[in-house]
Amino acid sequence: MVVESSTGEVLLESRNDGVNETICPNMKATETSDKIPSYLPQPGDELPAQPPEQMDAIGPWATGRVNFTPKDGLTGVRPVVDRYSVTSTGASSWRANNEKFFKQSNEKIREAQLAVNNAKRCVQRSYKEADKKQLESTDHLRNRAREVYRWKTELEQLISNITEEIELLEGERRRVKQSLSVLTVPESIAGEFLQLRSKRLESDLIRDEVEEELTKEVALCSEIRDLLGRTREQIELQLSELKAAKVRMEVDWTDKTDAYTIDSECIQLKNDSSIIMWKPGATRFPAEQSTPSSYEHYTRESLTDAEAARQRSENLRSTLDSIYKNSIKDLRDQATRVDLVLGQKIKLTEDVRLQLEKELLHCLHELANTEKSIEELRQSARGMDYAMKVAQTRLAERLQRRNVDNCRDSPQFGLLQEVQLLNERTSAMLAELKHAEETQSGLVKARSDLENEIMVKRKTLYIDKQRGQLMRSFYPTTI
């Protein structure tokens, strides 16, 4: 670094920051030579300059502006060169300005050398840390792949055991199904009729006497097939549980197989691999991503639940031979009660439908009258518009009178009263029109509700009469 002493001499100061500082050759000073270049600050430049003689403010030479500063002395425009040069500073300022540019250049050179050295050190450190971190990541991937492979093997073994258990339980289910085949017809008729009646619309979807009797019939069928029915349900539930456990483990096994394949491929990736590329957004954590603890908990839970389901299935198969019983109840009386209340319900629904259709006709008649009234009100309102135009035109024409003839006479006030009356009557008719339109909207809604309710009743009649009674005709006889 170049510094200036109190006497104006230029000194050289070295810095031990690891950067070789290069000083401009023109600013180097040696210990044997005290000569300073003439374009750099000289001793005594810091003292105020004194002019050799004082120039008066007036005279033939005072053609330019004279400036005086303590450092540069008296400067200004000289008479001979006042049209070609203007000096606002002295030689000392010029030399100081030269020194400023040399210092600025030295500082920028030093900053550039420091930046280059820092960049080299940063590159070396970055590559070293990147290689170390890549090796650590590879070890982590290898450990993770071994763990995933262990879980995958356990899942494969348990999937095989559950598949064998499902086949054995399917054989037991076929045995129970053969025993229950005799009772399937009445139960199917009652259950399907209940399901069919659940498709009734809106207000008719109620729990009526027909539904209660059908429910009793289903309950009676359940009592008849008591133990065998419960056994079959248990078998089906157990089968569903086993299949769900198998599907869950198969999905988990597939995920772990894919994860093991992906981790194996990731272990083989190197910096010179041909398939590496930029992957924007790869560093984000997905919201659904699991943690190591939740991953292990999920896998262990899958294995535990599947093993428990397999054990329950074995226990169920071991007790099937001791739970078969035969029991028959009388279904014909219950079927007769169902047919009786069904006929009464159909007759009542037909009566309601006929009354609703009559009410719909009355509503349509009133709706037609209301629409006719609305049209008459609209025509009347348009007729008032013509009268209003005449009155306003008269007023506008009379405003064209000039001077004293533009008088507030009786016709003027009469026309104003006419406009006011027309406005009032038009507003009254529009209010009546609005009320009539609201009434029309109400009638339209009432008509829509009636039509919808009639459709509901027809749907109910279709279900109970055409579908339900036809279905009940296939009900088995006592024999």
Side-chain angles (χ1 to χ4, degrees):
M1 175 184 294
V2 177
V3 297
E4 185 177 350
S5 65
S6 59
T7 60
E9 297 179 353
V10 178
L11 302 179
L12 179 63
E13 183 182 354
S14 62
R15 298 183 59 180
N16 297 324
D17 54 358
V19 181
N20 295 327
E21 184 175 4
T22 303
I23 302 177
C24 182
N26 294 324
M27 296 186 64
K28 289 183 179 180
T30 61
E31 297 179 356
T32 58
S33 175
D34 295 335
K35 185 178 180 181
I36 300 175
S38 58
Y39 51 80
L40 293 178
Q42 303 296 321
D45 282 352
E46 70 276 5
L47 300 176
Q50 298 293 336
E53 62 181 51
Q54 185 69 24
M55 295 179 63
D56 295 334
I58 58 175
W61 56 82
T63 59
R65 181 171 57 84
V66 178
N67 295 330
F68 176 80
T69 59
K71 184 175 181 181
D72 300 325
L74 188 64
T75 60
V77 180
R78 298 297 181 265
V80 179
V81 295
D82 58 341
R83 294 181 59 188
Y84 305 100
S85 66
V86 176
T87 58
S88 60
T89 59
S92 60
S93 297
W94 179 74
R95 289 191 291 270
N97 188 54
N98 294 337
E99 184 186 26
K100 181 186 72 173
F101 286 106
F102 284 120
K103 287 182 178 181
Q104 181 180 358
S105 176
N106 289 335
E107 182 66 21
K108 297 303 178 181
I109 291 172
R110 181 188 170 281
E111 291 178 0
Q113 293 175 348
L114 181 61
V116 170
N117 291 335
N118 289 339
K120 291 179 180 179
R121 288 195 297 270
C122 179
V123 169
Q124 294 175 357
R125 183 171 62 254
S126 300
Y127 272 89
K128 182 178 179 180
E129 293 178 355
D131 292 340
K132 179 181 178 182
K133 181 56 68 174
Q134 189 179 80
L135 291 176
E136 293 177 357
S137 299
T138 303
D139 292 338
H140 293 161
L141 287 171
R142 190 173 288 107
N143 295 333
R144 182 61 178 175
R146 285 196 291 266
E147 182 180 358
V148 172
Y149 183 78
R150 178 174 62 84
W151 289 117
K152 183 173 74 72
T153 304
E154 293 184 12
L155 287 171
E156 288 175 355
Q157 181 63 33
L158 191 54
I159 288 172
S160 177
N161 295 338
I162 286 187
T163 302
E164 182 180 357
E165 183 64 30
I166 288 175
E167 292 177 357
L168 295 175
L169 199 59
E170 284 284 354
E172 296 295 336
R173 186 179 67 85
R174 286 191 292 270
R175 289 178 58 193
V176 176
K177 184 177 180 181
Q178 292 173 359
S179 303
L180 297 174
S181 59
V182 178
L183 299 175
T184 55
V185 176
E187 187 178 12
S188 298
I189 291 175
E192 187 175 353
F193 194 17
L194 277 174
Q195 184 178 4
L196 185 64
R197 296 189 89 249
S198 67
K199 297 179 181 180
R200 291 173 296 172
L201 303 177
E202 299 172 359
S203 59
D204 276 7
L205 190 60
I206 60 174
R207 186 176 179 86
D208 52 5
E209 294 180 356
V210 178
E211 185 171 350
E212 290 177 355
E213 295 298 332
L214 286 172
T215 303
K216 291 178 181 179
E217 189 175 45
V218 172
L220 186 58
C221 292
S222 298
E223 291 177 0
I224 293 175
R225 55 195 299 268
D226 191 15
L227 292 178
L228 291 180
R230 288 200 301 269
T231 302
R232 188 185 67 172
E233 291 177 0
Q234 291 177 3
I235 292 176
E236 291 178 351
L237 290 175
Q238 192 62 44
L239 279 173
S240 300
E241 185 179 0
L242 287 173
K243 292 178 181 179
K246 181 183 177 183
V247 169
R248 180 180 179 183
M249 286 192 300
E250 286 176 346
V251 171
D252 196 12
W253 178 85
T254 303
D255 294 341
K256 285 177 171 51
T257 302
D258 294 341
Y260 178 75
T261 303
I262 292 172
D263 285 345
S264 300
E265 293 176 353
C266 291
I267 292 173
Q268 303 300 326
L269 290 178
K270 305 294 181 183
N271 291 341
D272 55 351
S273 299
S274 60
I275 62 174
I276 59 176
M277 62 183 66
W278 295 108
K279 299 289 186 179
T283 57
R284 294 180 298 180
F285 284 98
E288 69 278 4
Q289 200 170 32
S290 63
T291 61
S293 59
S294 63
Y295 168 84
E296 184 175 359
H297 174 74
Y298 176 81
T299 306
R300 288 187 182 277
E301 186 181 15
S302 298
L303 292 172
T304 303
D305 294 346
E307 181 62 28
R310 192 185 68 84
Q311 188 62 39
R312 286 192 294 271
S313 178
E314 289 182 355
N315 297 335
L316 180 60
R317 287 191 298 107
S318 64
T319 57
L320 279 179
D321 294 336
S322 60
I323 62 174
Y324 287 109
K325 293 181 180 179
N326 296 321
S327 177
I328 298 177
K329 301 292 182 180
D330 188 7
L331 295 175
R332 195 61 208 175
D333 293 340
Q334 182 63 28
T336 302
R337 286 193 293 270
V338 171
D339 294 338
L340 180 61
V341 296
L342 180 60
Q344 294 174 354
K345 181 66 176 178
I346 290 173
K347 184 177 183 303
L348 182 61
T349 304
E350 288 181 344
D351 293 341
V352 173
R353 178 181 61 83
L354 292 175
Q355 294 299 324
L356 288 174
E357 289 177 352
K358 291 180 181 180
E359 187 67 22
L360 177 61
L361 291 176
H362 186 223
C363 181
L364 291 174
H365 178 72
E366 292 299 327
L367 181 60
N369 293 336
T370 303
E371 291 176 351
K372 182 178 179 181
S373 176
I374 289 173
E375 186 62 27
E376 291 176 355
L377 284 172
R378 288 175 179 170
Q379 294 292 339
S380 300
R382 283 195 290 269
M384 296 294 290
D385 291 341
Y386 294 114
M388 178 66 74
K389 291 179 182 180
V390 171
Q392 290 183 357
T393 304
R394 288 174 175 178
L395 284 172
E397 291 296 331
R398 298 187 88 247
L399 289 177
Q400 304 300 322
R401 296 174 297 172
R402 292 190 297 272
N403 300 327
V404 71
D405 284 336
N406 192 0
C407 178
R408 297 179 183 176
D409 49 9
S410 297
Q412 184 81 9
F413 287 106
L415 289 172
L416 291 175
Q417 292 176 357
E418 181 183 358
V419 169
Q420 182 179 2
L421 177 63
L422 291 175
N423 278 329
E424 292 176 355
R425 302 318 303 163
T426 302
S427 299
M429 283 190 291
L430 291 177
E432 292 296 330
L433 177 62
K434 181 179 179 182
H435 182 265
E437 290 175 346
E438 292 176 353
T439 305
Q440 181 190 20
S441 300
L443 288 174
V444 170
K445 185 178 184 303
R447 182 195 66 181
S448 177
D449 293 340
L450 287 172
E451 291 174 347
N452 182 69
E453 191 64 22
I454 291 172
M455 181 184 64
V456 170
K457 295 299 183 290
R458 288 177 178 175
K459 177 72 173 179
T460 303
L461 288 173
Y462 170 75
I463 292 174
D464 289 344
K465 187 175 182 179
Q466 298 183 20
R467 296 290 301 277
Q469 287 186 339
L470 178 63
M471 187 183 302
R472 299 295 298 180
S473 66
F474 293 98
Y475 200 90
T477 62
T478 304
I479 298 176

